């Protein structure tokens, strides 16, 4: 059984505490009288037997080699002989060089008495000595400590002290009085050995190293302790602390450190990873190592210098460098609700927020001098493109480099950077953040693991400087009962597809030169249409039906107007039109008519009435069928022809047989009507509109009211009864002249510009000059005819 031979030497001058007495120690009386004589008699018989055995040995065959046998020159420190019988009371050396002790069986032959052989070494924590004393617990552990500490001594004085301590303090006692006398001069040293064994003997414990990372793991403070014995006192001796992993002891610059007292030490990281700190040494065992003889009547032998290893360890992570990383949140235009001041505009710098951190497997390291965190300088490059580009590991060739700035971070967190160059165009800008070791101060470069660069167009790393589209619109005239809006878009992303939302509103408010930002109070939205525009182009909206039934019965018709807007897209800003802009407003005027007919005619002739219709004429569309009719009526007031008739329009004497359909403003002539009798007459016109909801037609605007009768007729305009322009005076036909009857002389009548001649004030109605068949006649109100001579 091989043992470690590492031993801690103790000074023979170390003294025990005064008055200490070992436990379980019996009286140190020695054998004497008959007991001693009997003892000597036994040894005499043994010697005779040995002599006879030595004579027989040459005639016996060779025996196998013993497990343990004395080496050449068997005498070793501590030998004591009595008479002719050698009794070993000390130590001796075995063939393998080990020092062995015959300490607890003094009544039996020692190994030197004959060629005794022994079995293998056995660890024993309970041992009964030859004189019946049981050794266990603390006495045995102290004995083990003494053997392990001084058992291999080469000094005879120390060896006798060991022998005395093993016998006197363990309670085994001495076999011979002379044995106590032989060791009397070593009593003080033996006492000191026993006392020291009580302080530093086993069982032993060793606390694990206490590891405290410093400076982010770049250094580790290590609290080390030496082993403790039964009493809790540190066991003297040297302990070796070793490091496995990327670290060295600051004190030695190597992975090993020797110490013999508790204290703090420091480890410097030489890399990144886990390190194990292990403390180890050998301590005296707390058991006996005993070999038993293969023959009877021989002493058991006890090994010396039995030491056992004891160790403890702990782990910690260390780093010697770290990896700065970052990603950015660009001042991206969020088209789903960002305010106008959040939108990067042409003329302003690009702004990005760097989210700085260390990589997942490292931590941001502080400066080892305690001045703060290690600074790391990042670079932000912006690239421009007129169209969006996909994500890639590196900037693509079509990306134009726009600007570069550097910013220094002193730890994890957010860092805001702005471009030096102002934005000079609309489009896509892509910030790419990177970290290069070469950009760092030379004395700090060793603290960084490697370069780092984020992907091109990584998440949140896109700034859009939006295009600012504008719209010029022109509302159309009403065609077929429908209106459209002509849209011209400019300033748009050439590749962007926009949706222009056009709303048709109705209001009684007039158009404004600059328009209104909001709808008037009385405004009602009639319809909403969306029109897709790609780039910059001019398009027309889908036509929208004019809802005639909504307002046809009103005295004053409203105006229709368009309002457009463009919602934000990924590349364009919002555009909002204004209400009631002149070019977007369609003025609706309730139709009316003015009429004129002949003032005078001769009874029996035909006459007509002419109506000039103005205003907005409703026309049919998809949702409503509309018809506008114009009809005429003729009323007879009375028989007078002097222009003083009172208009009475109770029952028309004539009505237009079929109404005239009015499709646009203009002049409309009634059918001719014959006035049979002289008198005063008056025309009246009737302009009406009938609106019929088309079968299955949808409402113009979801939610709008459509609670109208299926057919709604509205009188738009009706002529006044007795209007001057509508009054006709029918005079009797002229009386033909009597042949050969001379006409009475008459004064000449002054010519007038018209055919009407004023007569002298004779009390008669004003005459009418009737010209027929080349003759001039003055027709009087009484029916008399005054002939004039021809010119």
């Amino acid at each position: 059984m091989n043992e470690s031979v590492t031993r801690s030497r103790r000074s023979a001058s170390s003294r025990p505490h005064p008055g200490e007495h070992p436990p379980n120690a019996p009286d140190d009386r020695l054998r004497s009288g008959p007991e001693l004589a009997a003892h000597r008699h036994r040894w005499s018989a043994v010697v005779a037997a040995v002599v006879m055995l030595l004579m027989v040995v040459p005639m016996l065959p060779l025996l196998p080699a013993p497990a343990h046998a004395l080496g050449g020159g068997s005498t070793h420190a501590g030998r004591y002989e009595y008479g002719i019988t050698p009794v070993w009371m000390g130590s001796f050396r075995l063939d393998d060089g080990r020092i062995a002790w015959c300490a607890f069986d003094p009544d039996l032959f020692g190994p030197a008495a004959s060629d005794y052989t022994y079995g293998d070494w056995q660890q024993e924590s309970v041992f009964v000595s030859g004189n019946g004393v049981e050794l266990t617990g603390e006495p045995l552990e102290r004995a083990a400590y003494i053997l392990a500490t001084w058992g291999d001594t080469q000094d005879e004085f120390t060896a006798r002290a060991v022998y005395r301590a093993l016998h006197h303090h363990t309670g085994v006692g001495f076999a011979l009085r002379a044995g106590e006398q032989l060791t009397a001069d070593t009593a003080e040293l033996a006492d000191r050995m026993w006392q020291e064994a009580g302080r530093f003997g086993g069982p032993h414990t060793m606390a694990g190293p206490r590891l405290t990372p410093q400076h982010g793991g770049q250094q580790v403070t290590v609290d080390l302790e030496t082993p403790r014995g039964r009493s809790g006192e540190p066991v003297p001796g040297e302990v070796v602390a070793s490091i496995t992993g990327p670290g060295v002891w600051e004190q030695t610059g190597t992975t090993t450190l020797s110490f013999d007292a508790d204290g703090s030490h420091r480890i410097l990281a030489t890399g990144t990873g886990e390190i194990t700190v292990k403390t180890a040494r050998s301590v005296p065992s707390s058991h006996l190592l005993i070999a038993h003889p293969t023959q009877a009547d021989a002493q058991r032998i006890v090994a010396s210098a039995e030491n056992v290893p004891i160790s403890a360890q702990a782990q910690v992570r260390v780093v010697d460098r770290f990896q700065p990383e970052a990603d950015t949140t660009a001042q991206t235009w969020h088209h789903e609700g960002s305010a106008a001041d959040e939108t990067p505009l042409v003329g302003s710098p690009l702004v990005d927020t760097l989210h700085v951190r260390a990589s997942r497997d490292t931590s941001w390291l502080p400066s080892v001098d305690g001045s703060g965190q290690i600074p790391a300088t990042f670079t932000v490059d912006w690239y421009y493109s007129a169209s969006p580009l996909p994500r890639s590991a590196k900037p693509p060739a079509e990306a134009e480099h726009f600007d570069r700035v550097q910013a220094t971070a002193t730890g994890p967190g957010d860092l805001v950077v702005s471009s030096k160059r102002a934005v000079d165009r609309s489009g896509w800008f892509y910030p790419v953040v990177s970290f290069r070791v070469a950009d760092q101060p030379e004395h700090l470069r060793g603290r960084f693991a490697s370069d780092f660069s984020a992907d091109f167009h990584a998440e949140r790393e896109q700034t859009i400087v939006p295009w600012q589209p504008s719209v010029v619109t022109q509302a159309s005239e009403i065609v077929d009962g429908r209106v459209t809006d002509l849209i011209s878009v400019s300033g748009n992303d050439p590749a962007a597809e926009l949706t222009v939302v056009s709303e048709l509103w109705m209001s009684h408010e007039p158009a404004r030169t600059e328009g209104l930002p909001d709808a008037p109070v009385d405004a009602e939205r009639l319809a909403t249409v969306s029109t897709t525009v790609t780039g910059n182009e001019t398009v027309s909206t889908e036509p929208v039906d004019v809802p005639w039934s909504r307002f046809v019965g009103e005295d004053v018709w409203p105006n229709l107007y368009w309002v457009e807007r463009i919602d934000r897209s990924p590349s364009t800003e919002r555009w909002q039109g204004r209400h009631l802009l002149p070019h977007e407003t369609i003025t609706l005027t309730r139709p009316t008519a003015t009429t004129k007919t002949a003032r005078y005619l001769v009874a029996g002739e035909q006459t007509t009435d002419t109506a000039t219709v103005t205003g907005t004429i409703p026309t049919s569309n998809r949702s409503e069928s509309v018809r506008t009719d114009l009809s005429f009526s003729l009323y007879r007031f009375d028989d007078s022809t002097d222009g003083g008739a009172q208009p009475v329009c109770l029952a028309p004497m004539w009505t237009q047989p079929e109404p005239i359909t009015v499709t646009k403003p203009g002049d409309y002539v009634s059918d001719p009507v014959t006035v049979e009798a002289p008198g005063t007459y008056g025309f009246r016109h009737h302009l009406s509109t009938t609106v019929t909801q088309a079968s299955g037609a949808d409402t113009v605007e979801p939610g709008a009211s459509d609670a109208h009768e299926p057919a709604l007729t509205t009188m738009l305009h009706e002529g006044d009864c007795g209007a001057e322009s509508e009054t006709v005076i029918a005079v009797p036909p002229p009386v033909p002249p009597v042949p050969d009857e001379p006409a009475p002389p008459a004064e000449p009548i002054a010519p007038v510009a018209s055919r009407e001649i004023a007569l002298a004030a004779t009390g008669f109605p004003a005459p009418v000059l009737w010209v027929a068949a080349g003759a001039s006649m003055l027709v009087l109100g009484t029916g008399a005819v005054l002939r004039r001579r021809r010119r």
Side-chain angles (χ1 to χ4, degrees):
M1 182 175 183
N2 297 324
E3 277 78 24
S4 170
V5 193
T6 304
R7 301 171 178 87
S8 299
R9 305 284 182 183
R10 296 295 186 275
S11 170
S13 62
S14 61
R15 295 182 176 274
H17 292 294
E20 183 180 6
H21 190 74
N24 301 326
D27 293 339
D28 293 336
R29 61 183 181 85
L30 300 179
R31 297 178 181 139
S32 62
E35 182 179 5
L36 179 58
H39 180 71
R40 290 176 177 174
H41 179 72
R42 286 200 305 271
W43 278 110
S44 298
V46 170
V47 171
V50 170
V51 173
M52 292 181 65
L53 180 61
L54 291 175
M55 295 175 61
V56 176
V57 166
M59 296 181 292
L60 296 176
L62 294 177
L63 298 174
H68 301 290
L70 292 175
S74 60
T75 300
H76 189 260
R79 177 180 178 180
Y80 175 75
E81 295 184 7
Y82 178 80
I84 61 173
T85 304
V87 178
W88 285 92
M89 296 183 177
S91 61
F92 56 91
R93 189 184 302 278
L94 301 179
D95 286 343
D96 60 4
R98 178 186 295 275
I99 303 301
W101 288 81
C102 296
F104 300 124
D105 295 327
D107 290 347
L108 301 179
F109 286 105
S114 180
D115 289 334
Y116 290 110
T117 59
Y118 290 81
D120 293 333
W121 296 105
Q122 297 179 8
Q123 296 180 356
E124 297 187 14
S125 297
V126 178
F127 179 83
V128 179
S129 66
N131 61 351
V133 176
E134 182 180 89
L135 292 180
T136 187
E138 185 177 356
L140 184 142
E141 291 164 357
R142 290 198 188 196
Y145 178 86
I146 292 173
L147 284 170
T149 306
W150 293 284
D152 60 348
T153 180
Q154 302 291 325
D155 177 65
E156 184 174 347
F157 182 83
T158 304
R160 294 201 308 273
V162 171
Y163 184 78
R164 181 180 181 89
L166 295 178
H167 279 258
H168 182 75
H169 291 291
T170 61
V172 174
F174 292 101
L176 302 174
R177 182 181 296 274
E180 185 176 7
Q181 295 172 352
L182 177 65
T183 60
D185 59 341
T186 64
E188 182 180 358
L189 178 57
D191 290 344
R192 289 202 303 269
M193 289 179 177
W194 188 258
Q195 183 182 20
E196 181 177 320
R199 295 172 59 195
F200 305 127
H204 298 91
T205 58
M206 177 177 284
R210 293 190 299 276
L211 310 178
T212 306
Q214 303 288 340
H215 304 295
Q218 300 174 87
Q219 297 177 356
V220 179
T221 298
V222 185
D223 293 322
L224 299 175
E225 292 186 4
T226 59
R228 263 55 177 175
R230 172 187 288 274
S231 65
E233 292 187 62
V235 177
E238 193 171 77
V239 182
V240 175
S242 59
I243 299 172
T244 302
V248 295
W249 294 105
E250 182 182 44
Q251 186 174 343
T252 64
T254 66
T255 58
T256 58
L257 170 72
S258 297
F259 65 97
D260 58 5
D262 299 348
S264 293
H265 305 269
R266 191 158 56 183
I267 294 175
L268 304 180
T270 58
T272 298
E274 292 285 339
I275 66 170
T276 299
V277 179
K278 181 178 181 180
T279 53
R281 64 160 285 181
S282 293
V283 293
S285 69
S286 57
H287 60 263
L288 298 177
L289 195 63
I290 296 175
H292 293 263
T294 57
Q295 297 88 3
D297 297 331
Q299 292 190 31
R300 291 166 291 182
I301 56 176
V302 183
S304 64
E306 173 68 356
N307 290 277
V308 294
I310 187 172
S311 64
Q313 66 182 34
Q315 289 79 34
V316 70
R317 180 175 177 80
V318 296
V319 296
D320 71 331
R321 60 190 64 191
F322 71 104
Q323 180 61 64
E325 295 179 352
D327 58 83
T328 67
T329 296
Q331 190 185 15
T332 304
W333 179 64
H334 304 286
H335 61 276
E336 294 182 354
S338 62
D341 57 0
E342 295 176 344
T343 304
L345 301 174
V346 172
S348 61
L350 295 165
V351 179
D352 288 276
T353 301
L354 274 63
H355 308 292
V356 179
R357 63 183 182 277
S359 62
R360 291 181 179 179
D361 57 347
T362 63
S363 299
W364 200 287
L365 298 182
S367 300
V368 294
D369 59 2
S371 60
Q373 302 275 58
I374 295 176
T377 299
F378 289 87
T379 299
V380 179
D381 290 280
W382 281 276
Y383 294 86
Y384 170 78
S385 175
S387 58
L389 296 175
R391 182 169 183 166
S392 58
K394 295 181 179 180
E398 58 267 34
E400 174 189 340
H401 189 269
F402 182 78
D403 199 10
R404 168 179 288 183
V405 297
Q406 287 188 322
T408 300
T410 56
D414 289 347
L415 185 65
V416 179
V417 295
S418 300
S419 65
K420 301 186 297 292
R421 181 179 173 184
V423 175
D424 55 2
R425 71 200 84 170
S426 298
W428 281 261
F429 292 84
Y430 298 97
V432 178
V433 60
S434 60
F435 172 85
R436 297 192 307 167
V437 176
D439 292 341
Q440 314 310 312
E442 186 174 359
H443 70 284
L444 293 176
R445 293 175 186 172
R447 312 308 295 157
F448 304 107
S450 63
D451 294 343
F452 162 81
S453 180
D455 287 349
F456 177 85
H457 193 181
E459 185 180 7
R460 304 192 310 272
E461 294 188 348
Q462 173 180 267
T463 294
I464 303 173
V465 177
W467 275 262
Q468 301 289 327
S470 62
V471 179
V472 175
T473 58
Q474 179 65 55
S476 71
E477 297 294 333
I478 298 175
V479 177
D480 294 333
R482 309 169 84 186
V483 291
T484 60
D485 196 17
L486 186 66
I487 302 170
S488 296
V489 178
S490 61
N492 184 27
D493 175 5
E497 184 178 88
L498 298 181
T499 298
V500 181
V501 179
S502 301
E503 297 176 342
L504 182 63
W505 291 75
M506 180 174 68
S507 172
H508 288 86
E509 291 293 324
R512 304 290 200 278
T513 302
E514 299 297 330
L516 298 174
D518 300 308
V521 176
D522 71 333
E524 178 184 356
R525 184 169 54 195
L526 301 176
T528 301
V529 294
S530 296
T531 307
T532 300
V533 178
T534 301
N536 299 301
E537 61 178 342
T538 299
V539 296
S540 292
T541 65
E542 288 290 327
V544 175
D545 294 347
V546 177
W548 304 108
S549 57
R550 300 280 187 90
F551 52 82
V552 70
E554 296 181 7
D555 293 337
V556 178
W557 284 11
N559 295 322
L560 301 180
Y561 67 89
W562 289 100
V563 176
E564 295 78 22
R565 75 172 187 272
I566 298 177
D567 293 333
R568 285 173 172 170
S569 74
S571 62
T572 55
E573 179 59 281
R574 176 189 296 275
W575 183 89
Q576 177 64 57
R578 297 175 70 84
H579 292 254
L580 287 171
L581 287 170
H583 56 275
E584 288 282 56
T585 301
I586 303 169
T587 301
L588 301 179
T589 305
R590 181 183 173 106
T592 187
T594 58
T595 56
K596 187 173 181 61
T597 186
R599 176 66 173 168
Y600 295 99
L601 56 81
V602 175
E605 294 182 344
Q606 290 185 334
T607 186
T608 60
D609 192 15
T610 300
T612 301
V613 179
T614 58
T616 304
I617 307 303
T619 52
S620 298
N621 50 43
R622 294 173 302 180
S623 56
E624 293 177 335
S625 176
V626 184
R627 188 183 73 253
T628 300
D629 292 334
L630 176 64
S631 64
F632 298 88
S633 298
L634 182 63
Y635 297 87
R636 179 179 173 83
F637 299 155
D638 58 24
D639 295 337
S640 67
T641 59
D642 59 359
Q646 294 298 317
V648 177
C649 300
L650 295 177
M653 60 170 287
W654 173 85
T655 300
Q656 175 85 22
E658 291 291 336
I660 300 172
T661 300
V662 178
T663 58
K664 61 182 179 180
D667 292 341
Y668 293 88
V669 180
S670 70
D671 289 351
V673 57
T674 301
V675 178
E676 299 291 347
T680 301
Y681 299 84
F683 277 102
R684 293 186 71 185
H685 65 274
H686 312 279
L687 184 63
S688 65
T689 294
T690 300
V691 180
T692 303
Q693 192 78 22
S695 177
D698 296 331
T699 56
V700 176
E701 178 76 1
S705 174
D706 60 351
H708 299 292
E709 295 296 330
L712 174 66
T713 299
T714 301
M715 183 61 68
L716 299 174
H717 189 263
E718 195 169 26
D720 294 335
C721 181
E724 183 178 357
S725 62
E726 292 280 64
T727 301
V728 178
I729 297 176
V731 299
V735 178
V738 178
D740 300 331
E741 182 178 347
E747 293 298 324
I749 300 175
V752 293
S754 66
R755 293 183 180 182
E756 298 182 0
I757 301 174
L759 298 181
T762 60
F764 295 102
V768 175
L769 179 63
W770 180 262
V771 180
S776 297
M777 293 179 293
L778 184 63
V779 182
L780 301 178
T782 60
V785 177
L786 299 180
R787 292 183 176 85
R788 293 187 60 191
R789 106 179 140 257
R790 295 179 181 273
R791 290 184 182 181

